[in-house]
Amino acid sequence: ELGDKLGSGATGSVYEGSLRYNGGDSIDCAAKKFSSNNYHSGYEGDMYDDAYNELSMLSMLMNESSCITVYGYTLEISEEDQSLKIYVLLEKLNSKGDLYDYLKQPLYWRKDETENTYSMNSETKKDICMKMCDCIQDLHNNHIVHCDLKPQNMIYYTEDVLKNTREMISRKGIKLIDFGASVKMDSTKSSEIKGCDCDMGTEGYMAPELKDGLAGYKTDIYSLGVTIIEVWTGDVWIEGESESY
């Protein structure tokens, strides 16, 4: 069952959802939707490739706590226009949006007469940055390059864990999402380069080689560097314009 739209990724939109199983039990989930209506006529088959690539990357990361957990997928054919929809079913994390939304909280911005001043404390910044680095290390240890790293593709979430037999504590974590642009590498050599879809990536965060259809581990490190700058300064954009960074 689908709920409100949470956001859009490189290849599909993500919705809140509820997943029923065992004849009646249910859990909250997030559902990434791929729809044939979003593909140009004659290229609807690309949807299968996009969904398959996302699922295959997620399946290789199922044992990594730094990446979003996949529950499975389901299909739906619209009776109205015969369009096909594929839903990739993912865990729903306890967060208010993605890392970009977290950085933009009014809590971390002090408004005066002329401008907004970023006021996140350094301990929180360090915690976010260290956890981001851990995520990328896990990803690269599994021979995967994300190719679209940015705050919008990271979730800074809260979870309750058992400290001892009687006490629960809350802790923060980061998980990576949206593997639609990701590339599987053959080794862990930092010099390895592979061809990829040059339409992937996000301006401002993407390494220069992505524009030439090439990706490697250093591609993610470039994007991680930009994201770290954004965490520490609050913004990498000029007046919020996506073309001016």
Side-chain angles (χ1 to χ4, degrees):
E1 294 179 357
L2 289 184
D4 295 335
K5 185 176 179 178
L6 296 174
S8 298
T11 51
S13 299
V14 181
Y15 296 83
E16 288 183 331
S18 178
L19 176 61
R20 290 197 304 271
Y21 63 101
N22 290 345
D25 295 331
S26 67
I27 55 173
D28 292 335
C29 70
K32 182 170 183 178
K33 181 177 76 172
F34 298 82
S35 173
S36 59
N37 287 333
N38 296 334
Y39 291 78
H40 294 299
S41 179
Y43 292 88
E44 293 89 350
D46 290 347
M47 178 179 66
Y48 293 101
D49 294 334
D50 290 341
Y52 179 82
N53 186 64
E54 180 108 14
L55 282 164
S56 63
M57 296 297 170
L58 286 165
S59 69
M60 287 184 274
L61 298 166
M62 288 182 70
N63 295 322
E64 298 293 349
S65 60
S66 58
C67 297
I68 198 84
T69 300
V70 59
Y71 297 140
Y73 68 94
T74 187
L75 309 173
E76 177 183 87
I77 297 177
S78 170
E79 295 182 0
E80 189 174 316
D81 59 6
Q82 293 301 298
S83 63
L84 175 65
K85 295 175 179 61
I86 300 174
Y87 297 95
V88 176
L89 307 174
L90 308 161
E91 68 174 317
K92 177 75 166 56
L93 297 170
N94 181 21
S95 69
K96 294 181 179 179
D98 52 43
L99 178 58
Y100 182 84
D101 296 323
Y102 187 84
L103 299 179
K104 295 301 180 184
Q105 288 184 97
L107 170 68
Y108 297 125
W109 292 86
R110 188 174 65 252
K111 196 169 186 178
D112 57 33
E113 294 180 1
T114 57
E115 61 182 9
N116 288 334
T117 303
Y118 187 51
S119 60
M120 180 183 287
N121 66 72
S122 61
E123 290 306 312
T124 302
K125 294 175 182 178
K126 290 176 187 177
D127 183 62
I128 292 172
C129 290
M130 291 297 292
K131 286 179 167 61
M132 287 196 300
C133 291
D134 288 340
C135 286
I136 307 311
Q137 185 174 37
D138 287 345
L139 194 65
H140 290 181
N141 285 343
N142 283 277
H143 299 190
I144 294 175
V145 176
H146 191 283
C147 290
D148 195 19
L149 287 175
K150 56 185 177 180
Q152 291 91 333
N153 284 339
M154 302 178 187
I155 306 292
Y156 191 49
Y157 66 98
T158 303
E159 65 176 347
D160 293 327
V161 294
L162 193 63
K163 182 180 179 181
N164 49 50
T165 55
R166 292 180 295 178
E167 184 181 4
M168 296 289 288
I169 60 171
S170 293
R171 69 180 181 188
K172 304 290 287 187
I174 281 185
K175 291 201 178 190
L176 302 177
I177 61 172
D178 197 353
F179 293 87
S182 299
V183 175
K184 181 74 166 67
M185 308 301 283
D186 297 324
S187 71
T188 55
K189 293 180 179 178
S190 62
S191 58
E192 185 181 351
I193 295 291
K194 269 198 170 185
C196 64
D197 189 340
C198 59
D199 290 334
M200 297 303 187
T202 302
E203 285 287 348
Y205 299 97
M206 63 190 293
E209 64 269 18
L210 270 183
K211 297 181 180 180
D212 297 323
L214 299 171
Y217 294 111
K218 294 179 181 180
T219 304
D220 280 352
I221 302 304
Y222 181 101
S223 303
L224 175 62
V226 177
T227 304
I228 287 173
I229 292 171
E230 189 163 12
V231 170
W232 278 88
T233 64
D235 208 348
V236 293
W237 307 98
I238 296 174
E239 297 178 356
E241 297 176 10
S242 59
E243 298 85 4
S244 305
Y245 49 86

